[in-house]
């Protein structure tokens, strides 16, 4: 008979004795063949399970995740303070995680608000300066218009003086 490498001992639920009891008639006729079939079955089952596990590891990128988990475990060994554990009260757990984030976000928003207020103040000053300049220009235009009208009136009067009476 052919020698097969001995597989690791199978779990108890699929022992050779149980396998042989299921195929009792065949076992009585050819016990060596029954043992060979059992060994092949166990070997193929182990190979199939290993292949399935490898496929799951490849699909989920588990190798990388397991390595990063191992790295985290190693890094955690040097920590002096205990790791965070959930309290069992979701509101408190989320608060402990969210409050620092929200405080940071609030300070960021306050900074942005101050910047926008400063920008708005500068724009308001610019608008007021523009309005003042528009007012000055309107006054200048009015003064020049009046001066022009005065000159025009004087020219008409001068022309009237030179005209001969009729």
């Amino acid at each position: 008979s052919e020698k097969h490498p001995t597989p690791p001992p199978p779990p108890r639920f699929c022992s050779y004795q149980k396998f042989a009891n299921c195929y009792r008639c065949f076992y009585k006729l050819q016990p060596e063949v029954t043992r060979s079939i059992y060994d092949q079955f166990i070997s193929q089952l182990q190979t199939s399970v290993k292949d399935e596990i490898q496929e799951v590891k490849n699909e989920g990128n588990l190798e990388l995740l397991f390595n990063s988990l191992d790295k985290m475990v190693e890094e955690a060994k040097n920590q002096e303070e205990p790791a965070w554990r959930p309290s069992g009260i979701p509101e408190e757990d989320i608060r402990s995680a969210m409050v620092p984030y929200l405080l940071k976000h609030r300070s960021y928003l306050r900074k942005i608000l101050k910047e926008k207020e400063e920008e708005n103040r500068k724009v308001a000053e610019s608008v007021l300066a523009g309005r003042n300049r528009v007012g000055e220009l309107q006054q200048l235009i009015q003064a020049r218009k009046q001066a022009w009208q005065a000159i025009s009136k004087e020219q008409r009067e001068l022309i009237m003086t030179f005209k001969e009476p009729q």
Side-chain angles (χ1 to χ4, degrees), residues 84-98:
W84 178 85
R85 296 285 184 260
S87 67
I89 304 169
E91 292 84 11
E92 288 182 14
D93 294 341
I94 194 71
R95 188 177 302 120
S96 69
M98 290 300 292

Side-chain angles (χ1 to χ4, degrees), residues 86-160:
S87 67
I89 304 169
E91 292 84 11
E92 288 182 14
D93 294 341
I94 194 71
R95 188 177 302 120
S96 69
M98 290 300 292
V99 166
Y101 167 75
L102 292 174
L103 288 174
K104 184 178 179 183
H105 193 61
R106 182 176 69 179
S107 68
Y108 169 75
L109 289 176
R110 283 182 175 166
K111 177 185 168 206
I112 295 297
L113 178 64
K114 284 181 183 178
E115 290 174 1
K116 292 299 176 188
E117 286 173 344
E118 179 64 22
E119 188 178 314
N120 288 346
R121 186 188 59 75
K122 288 178 181 177
V123 168
E125 287 176 1
S126 174
V127 166
L128 287 175
R131 285 181 182 168
N132 290 337
R133 180 69 182 139
V134 166
E136 290 170 4
L137 289 174
Q138 284 177 336
Q139 288 175 356
L140 182 65
I141 289 171
Q142 189 64 32
R144 287 188 178 173
K145 178 181 173 187
Q146 288 172 357
W148 179 259
Q149 286 175 344
I151 291 172
S152 216
K153 185 178 177 185
E154 288 175 10
Q155 283 179 348
R156 279 195 305 262
E157 288 174 358
L158 187 63
I159 291 174
M160 291 305 263

Side-chain angles (χ1 to χ4, degrees), residues 35-47:
R35 182 64 187 199
S36 173
I37 291 172
Y38 172 78
D39 291 343
Q40 287 178 9
F41 174 73
I42 292 298
S43 175
Q44 288 177 355
L45 183 62
Q46 286 175 340
T47 302

